[in-house]
Amino acid sequence: MFEITGKKELAPHIKWIEVKAPHVARAAKAGQFVVLRLHDRGERIPLTLFRWDKEKGTIELVFQEVGKTTYELGTYNVGDKIRDIVGPLGMPTHVENFGTAVIVSGGVGAPIGYAVTKALKEAGNYVITIAGFRSKEFVILEDEFKKVSDELLITTDDGSYVRKGFTTDVLKELIDSGKKIDFVFTVGPVIMMKIVADITKKYGIKTYASLNPIMVDGTGMCGACRVTVGGEIKFACVDGPDFDAHQVDFDELMMRLTEYRDEEKIALEKYLKEVQ
Ligand SMILES: Cc1cc2nc3c(=O)[nH]c(=O)nc-3n(C[C@H](O)[C@H](O)[C@H](O)COP(=O)(O)OP(=O)(O)OC[C@H]3O[C@@H](n4cnc5c(N)ncnc54)[C@H](O)[C@@H]3O)c2cc1C
Ligand code: FES
């Protein structure tokens, strides 16, 4: 059992929790995730390691309430216990001094975006973070990003905070301004990552994307997280979640993510009815 030691609402339906999980904190690296199960009858869901503290033995997660399990996790408070936490899982993000690195993060891609930005900065890169959100009320982790970025460019879809537009518009402007960019890392909605990859491919900029397929065991056994990269089948939980974005079949990923939409809708409606 893993005790929740901190909790905060960062934005509507987006929550931060700190959990005691020394075995994960000890070995965690940027880009990795955990698979958790709330209780004996719970399903397994993957969440990214946002931050961790080896001394305290704690990990921090940021999640958006989108369906049954994330809504239920949102009701857990400090002192409550999560049944299982397995991790750290996945390959850590490959980090080196590339020169100038740009992180393109959308929505709740921000926790991974932050962990990778921090690691790239510590490796000596000049780091430019482009973080996009739907609107002002959904902007999260701004102060955290500021501390680990040389430049932070925030954008909102509706222009209610800083500037109006998509992260991909900002990336394009940056490239068109003549800025030399050596590496791009992207995480967030699949459509955003696909457009980032299309843009950087034209300019030959090495680009990695953190993929978010449905995962069940998180250890390469079930095949749920199958993705196609460079025409080959890969399992995102053990071969990824980061892959060369120019090789990823994003259309297949988008299709596979919606495969259980009807069942997910029924599960959430049933859960909300039970707790009301
Ligand atoms: C490696 C990885 C890291 C992730 N990190 C974060 C994070 O830090 N914060 C965050 O808010 N979300 C993260 N996600 C997505 C998160 O796992 C899903 O939002 C969650 O599983 C939804 O479960 P649910 O029961 O609440 O919703 P459901 O109603 O079951 O599903 C809603 C949508 O979430 C996705 N989803 C459902 N089940 C899974 C599953 N088992 N694995 C992956 N996706 C699923 C599907 O696209 C689905 O349509 C991550 C996903 C992956 C693969
Ligand atoms: S989640 Fe089962 S193989 Fe990756």
Side-chain angles (χ1 to χ4, degrees):
M1 299 287 261
F2 300 90
E3 187 177 347
I4 297 181
T5 49
K7 181 183 180 186
K8 228 186 303 178
E9 176 145 9
L10 303 182
H13 294 291
I14 302 179
K15 289 178 176 152
W16 166 89
I17 52 170
E18 181 192 64
V19 189
K20 197 104 187 144
H23 70 296
V24 182
R26 227 179 354 253
K29 294 221 163 56
Q32 292 187 296
F33 60 94
V34 292
V35 166
L36 59 83
R37 197 164 62 120
L38 295 180
H39 45 73
D40 286 345
R41 285 170 298 107
E43 66 166 352
R44 301 161 63 93
I45 64 156
L47 291 176
T48 296
L49 288 159
F50 161 51
R51 274 194 303 220
W52 50 92
D53 186 324
K54 287 185 180 40
E55 271 76 51
K56 274 169 68 190
T58 53
I59 58 169
E60 296 173 49
L61 310 171
V62 172
F63 62 95
Q64 184 169 27
E65 295 167 347
V66 291
K68 180 186 180 288
T69 303
T70 45
Y71 264 88
E72 195 173 356
L73 178 57
T75 67
Y76 280 42
N77 288 310
V78 172
D80 289 342
K81 292 193 171 99
I82 295 172
R83 177 73 183 84
D84 302 312
I85 296 188
V86 181
L89 298 172
M91 300 291 285
T93 296
H94 173 75
V95 172
E96 62 176 69
N97 191 347
F98 295 102
T100 297
V102 176
I103 286 58
V104 186
S105 147
V108 280
I112 310 184
Y114 166 81
V116 173
T117 303
K118 183 169 179 283
L120 286 167
K121 178 74 187 145
E122 284 167 359
N125 290 276
Y126 183 86
V127 184
I128 303 172
T129 305
I130 304 172
F133 303 93
R134 256 192 291 158
S135 65
K136 187 176 180 186
E137 63 175 338
F138 293 105
V139 174
I140 57 169
L141 310 182
E142 182 178 2
D143 290 342
E144 286 80 358
F145 270 129
K146 249 185 216 156
K147 283 185 197 140
V148 294
S149 310
D150 292 287
E151 293 176 48
L152 171 62
L153 307 170
I154 290 194
T155 179
T156 45
D157 298 357
D158 63 0
S160 53
Y161 191 58
V162 190
R163 60 161 285 171
K164 181 175 165 58
F166 297 124
T167 52
T168 45
D169 303 330
V170 183
L171 175 66
K172 194 140 191 331
E173 275 172 29
L174 208 57
I175 296 172
D176 289 344
S177 74
K179 189 114 200 164
K180 187 177 170 294
I181 298 170
D182 304 292
F183 177 68
V184 170
F185 179 88
T186 184
V187 56
V190 182
I191 186 67
M192 182 200 83
M193 295 193 284
K194 178 179 155 80
I195 298 171
V196 167
D198 287 345
I199 294 171
T200 58
K201 194 170 186 179
K202 273 193 225 132
Y203 296 90
I205 304 170
K206 184 184 174 79
T207 301
Y208 270 71
S210 176
L211 304 187
N212 58 339
I214 288 179
M215 291 186 181
V216 180
D217 65 317
T219 57
M221 308 285 280
C222 70
C225 66
R226 175 167 65 78
V227 289
T228 306
V229 182
E232 282 179 31
I233 291 185
K234 301 279 181 192
F235 291 159
C237 67
V238 285
D239 301 320
D242 301 350
F243 293 98
D244 179 345
H246 299 153
Q247 304 289 325
V248 171
D249 184 340
F250 286 106
D251 294 329
E252 180 194 58
L253 175 59
M254 273 187 264
M255 195 192 66
R256 284 178 60 79
L257 273 170
T258 58
E259 221 154 301
Y260 301 102
R261 195 144 279 177
D262 291 345
E263 290 83 353
E264 288 159 359
K265 190 165 171 274
I266 293 166
L268 177 61
E269 283 168 0
K270 191 164 168 271
Y271 170 72
L272 291 176
K273 226 181 252 166
E274 275 166 18
V275 294
Q276 266 157 18

